[in-house]
Amino acid sequence: MTTSSTSPITRVYVSRDSAATSVGANEVADALVLAAAAAGVDLHVVRTGTRGMLWLEPLVEVETPAGRVGYGPVSPADVDGLVAAGMLDGVLDGAGGHTTARDHPSYLGLVEDLPWMRDQQRICLARVGVTDPVSTTDYEAHGGLAGLRHALSLDPQQVVAEVTDSGLRGRGGAGFPAGIKWKTVADTPGELKFVCCNADEGDSGTFADRMVMEGDPFALLEGMTIAGYAVGASEGYIYLRSEYPDAAHALKEAIDAARAAGWLGADVLGSGYTFDIHLRIGAGAYICGEETSMLESLEGKRGMVRAKPPIPAITGLFGKPTVVNNVLTLVSVPTILAEGGTKYAELGVDRSRGTQVFQLAGNIARGGAFETAFGISLEKLVHEYGGGTRTGRPLRAVQVGGPLGQYIPADKLDIPTDYEAFAAADAMLGHGGITVFDDTVDMAHMARFAMEFCAEESCGKCTPCRVGSIRGVETIDKIVGGVDPDGNLALLNDLCELMTDGSLCAMGGLTPNPVRSALLHFPEDFTPGVHDRKEAAR
Ligand SMILES: Cc1cc2nc3c(=O)[nH]c(=O)nc-3n(C[C@H](O)[C@H](O)[C@H](O)COP(=O)(O)O)c2cc1C
Ligand code: SF4
């Protein structure tokens, strides 16, 4: 989007991420082009990913000699006034004497100096919100391909060793060490091996995978190519949830561009190594995020969980050795190879090394993605960066790790974000989703929802999950309805134990987490009549 004149080009950045376009970023970009043309300004609007400060979208960034100056949230109706006030002059503080745009309520100053941006350690998000997501030139100019080039100069075993040294653990939820998984695939003989990226991202309150795929898709392709080289795979598949059409679009564009540039295909970067990536779209089932179910779905079958062993690393897609990793796991890899595994391992605490992209969602004042080294406390993320609840009411509970994660009460948030510390606090980090609830939440209702969700999303293969979740809904209804509360509470606890111990996969096995934590921390909500009183108070 460029208007023409003889004046120097002004460059502005507006996100094309679906979170930004859902609140009007496209209309703001169009309004900027029109306003610039009317003002005779030669404007280039670069459509980037989002910075992850979702409460500020649509965010407009104007390039200045001092850096990018932000305005947000900007509505299309704001644009004419901002341009007339000198927004496009490229002056940071009005030193030229004519810029009054900084007096506009949306004026933010230098984006990189905002506490939310300044305090992050962005590895997965390094280019997200900065570059044009599908420009190969922009990607290389901002450090892209350095990891792959280095990997291709090493033996595959050395690449696996770098990933092992980094301490990288799977970001999809289970936190399994990536290096061990890759070594298993590398050590398993086979002519045909695969790398499958799990981009199903079904957890409630999570969006980091989507943000990266929309905002920096080449990073995922690079990570997958490095994984393929390390384990001896020639093909990669991205399993993307159908609810992410914009990510699908960005990935398709990126795959085409990468093939055309020789980054994928018969001779990756002239190395002689062959690797290609295909995109497959799921059909909207939470269980298809479970890795064996995902493999079934990729093979064109119904998404049913496979019994393990055999593990996918040995018998995976079409029975071949397969790396299955989450988007964030794979997107961390190019930096690990570019800068070294031990450098990456300097970030984090204990056995949680590197960074996590925390996603702040639910009833939160400042929702968005915040990438930092493991170890930061949940309290700090929720209160300092998230700003507490959006409603301004007292915070009551936080659920971390998606719909199967425990509810943590407001006075117990001082837990370091570390897999083991969370486990010791009877919680789980999962994919880094943090969902906040204020004091109007009805925790018996949330416990019921967990059982209902499991009943809806269960693949149906094993009885504790398929039948247990339906019985769970009925039992909670009886408890809150005042039908033999003590007897039914005992029954609910028994049911939770059975589901934990007897389910074939973590879907049924972890559903008791939210239920038990609600019972433990908020028993008062399970007394008859509370639901009606909460509804009335809303
Ligand atoms: C019910 C269920 C849903 C899951 N959904 C996802 C998902 O959406 N994305 C994901 O990466 N992992 C998901 N997982 C975890 C995967 O089974 C697997 O552990 C992961 O993809 C491995 O990659 P990682 O080691 O990089 O985390 C899910 C697991 C279960 C039990
Ligand atoms: S626990 Fe649930 S989702 Fe997992 S295999 Fe059993 S029925 Fe399927």
Side-chain angles (χ1 to χ4, degrees):
M1 286 180 213
T2 308
T3 63
S4 62
S5 83
T6 50
S7 58
I9 294 174
T10 301
R11 202 175 281 267
V12 301
Y13 302 83
V14 180
S15 173
R16 57 179 250 175
D17 181 279
S18 45
T21 56
S22 70
V23 291
N26 288 342
E27 292 74 14
V28 169
D30 291 347
L32 279 164
V33 172
L34 289 176
V41 176
D42 203 353
L43 184 72
H44 183 52
V45 182
V46 181
R47 303 303 301 269
T48 61
T50 175
R51 295 276 195 167
M53 299 180 284
L54 299 183
W55 74 99
L56 293 178
E57 292 291 359
L59 173 68
V60 176
E61 300 181 26
V62 183
E63 197 162 80
T64 77
R68 294 189 193 173
V69 174
Y71 298 83
V74 173
S75 75
D78 292 330
V79 168
D80 282 345
L82 279 165
V83 170
M87 176 208 218
L88 300 179
D89 290 356
V91 180
L92 174 60
D93 58 2
H98 55 280
T99 296
T100 53
R102 68 175 173 153
D103 297 328
H104 194 271
S106 66
Y107 176 81
L108 299 165
L110 284 174
V111 172
E112 296 290 348
D113 286 352
L114 297 173
W116 180 282
M117 291 302 300
R118 193 192 52 214
D119 296 354
Q120 291 188 59
Q121 287 154 307
R122 287 169 77 108
I123 290 178
C124 296
L125 302 182
R127 278 175 295 265
V128 180
V130 177
T131 56
D132 172 349
V134 290
S135 159
T136 50
T137 319
D138 234 6
Y139 187 65
E140 281 205 84
H142 288 82
L145 292 189
L148 178 57
R149 286 189 206 285
H150 183 58
L152 293 171
S153 74
L154 302 174
D155 290 336
Q157 302 89 305
Q158 291 174 302
V159 178
V160 174
E162 285 293 344
V163 173
T164 306
D165 291 349
S166 74
L168 178 68
R169 290 168 70 173
R171 304 290 193 244
F176 189 80
I180 295 178
K181 189 181 283 186
W182 288 22
K183 186 168 181 342
T184 308
V185 179
D187 290 348
T188 305
E191 282 294 300
L192 188 58
K193 299 182 185 180
F194 297 105
V195 174
C196 291
C197 170
N198 190 341
D200 199 50
E201 196 164 55
D203 282 0
S204 42
T206 63
F207 47 87
D209 293 351
R210 182 189 57 68
M211 240 182 88
V212 172
M213 290 184 288
E214 290 185 21
D216 193 16
F218 290 125
L220 177 57
L221 307 186
E222 186 178 349
M224 289 178 72
T225 310
I226 294 170
Y229 177 74
V231 303
S234 53
E235 269 186 73
Y237 286 88
I238 301 171
Y239 186 82
L240 180 70
R241 68 186 326 218
S242 60
E243 294 88 340
Y244 284 175
D246 292 345
H249 188 68
L251 285 167
K252 277 182 204 151
E253 272 188 86
I255 290 170
D256 287 347
R259 283 181 186 146
W263 300 358
L264 289 175
D267 184 16
V268 173
L269 293 176
S271 65
Y273 168 57
T274 296
F275 190 73
D276 203 1
I277 295 177
H278 311 279
L279 179 65
R280 293 288 180 268
I281 311 291
Y286 181 71
I287 196 57
C288 285
E290 192 282 333
E291 58 184 0
T292 62
S293 192
M294 181 194 78
L295 294 173
E296 290 283 296
S297 181
L298 272 173
E299 291 179 10
K301 301 176 203 151
R302 180 178 165 188
M304 296 283 278
V305 173
R306 295 178 185 169
K308 287 192 273 193
I311 55 172
I314 293 170
T315 307
L317 187 64
F318 299 109
K320 306 296 176 195
T322 303
V323 169
V324 179
N325 274 138
N326 173 254
V327 174
L328 297 179
T329 317
L330 290 160
V331 164
S332 304
V333 165
T335 302
I336 291 169
L337 266 295
E339 297 181 8
T342 45
K343 174 106 191 297
Y344 183 84
E346 285 170 12
L347 296 169
V349 288
D350 297 325
R351 289 175 51 221
S352 304
R353 312 310 313 183
T355 61
Q356 172 65 291
V357 182
F358 297 102
Q359 300 130 80
L360 298 172
N363 189 337
I364 187 136
R366 293 190 287 272
F370 190 95
E371 182 176 7
T372 190
F374 284 101
I376 185 172
S377 81
L378 181 59
E379 171 112 43
K380 192 166 177 167
L381 282 167
V382 169
H383 288 293
E384 189 173 324
Y385 296 108
T389 63
R390 188 176 176 79
T391 51
R393 296 183 65 97
L395 189 152
R396 185 152 189 243
V398 172
Q399 187 180 33
V400 184
L404 312 181
Q406 292 88 340
Y407 288 100
I408 305 168
D411 61 350
K412 294 195 165 51
L413 299 186
D414 195 15
I415 316 170
T417 49
D418 157 3
Y419 291 105
E420 280 67 37
F422 259 61
D426 203 15
M428 66 181 213
L429 264 182
H431 184 49
I434 297 171
T435 308
V436 173
F437 298 83
D438 75 10
D439 64 348
T440 61
V441 66
D442 171 357
M443 295 307 296
H445 181 72
M446 299 314 293
R448 185 188 193 278
F449 173 73
M451 287 291 190
E452 202 184 4
F453 180 78
C454 182
E456 185 70 28
E457 299 293 338
S458 164
C459 83
K461 189 160 183 165
C462 64
T463 313
C465 168
R466 186 185 67 245
V467 181
S469 53
I470 294 170
R471 295 288 96 86
V473 173
E474 294 166 359
T475 311
I476 294 171
D477 282 345
K478 285 183 187 158
I479 295 166
V480 298
V483 180
D484 184 15
D486 291 344
N488 278 305
L489 271 171
L491 188 63
L492 183 60
N493 277 309
D494 279 357
L495 192 59
C496 285
E497 200 175 314
L498 176 80
M499 288 176 73
T500 304
D501 296 344
S503 296
L504 183 60
C505 85
M507 175 85 218
L510 297 182
T511 290
N513 279 343
V515 179
R516 280 195 179 119
S517 57
L519 280 167
L520 178 69
H521 300 299
F522 309 97
E524 63 279 14
D525 282 18
F526 289 80
T527 48
V530 165
H531 180 71
D532 295 339
R533 290 198 292 280
K534 290 261 177 194
E535 282 291 302
R538 260 186 248 264

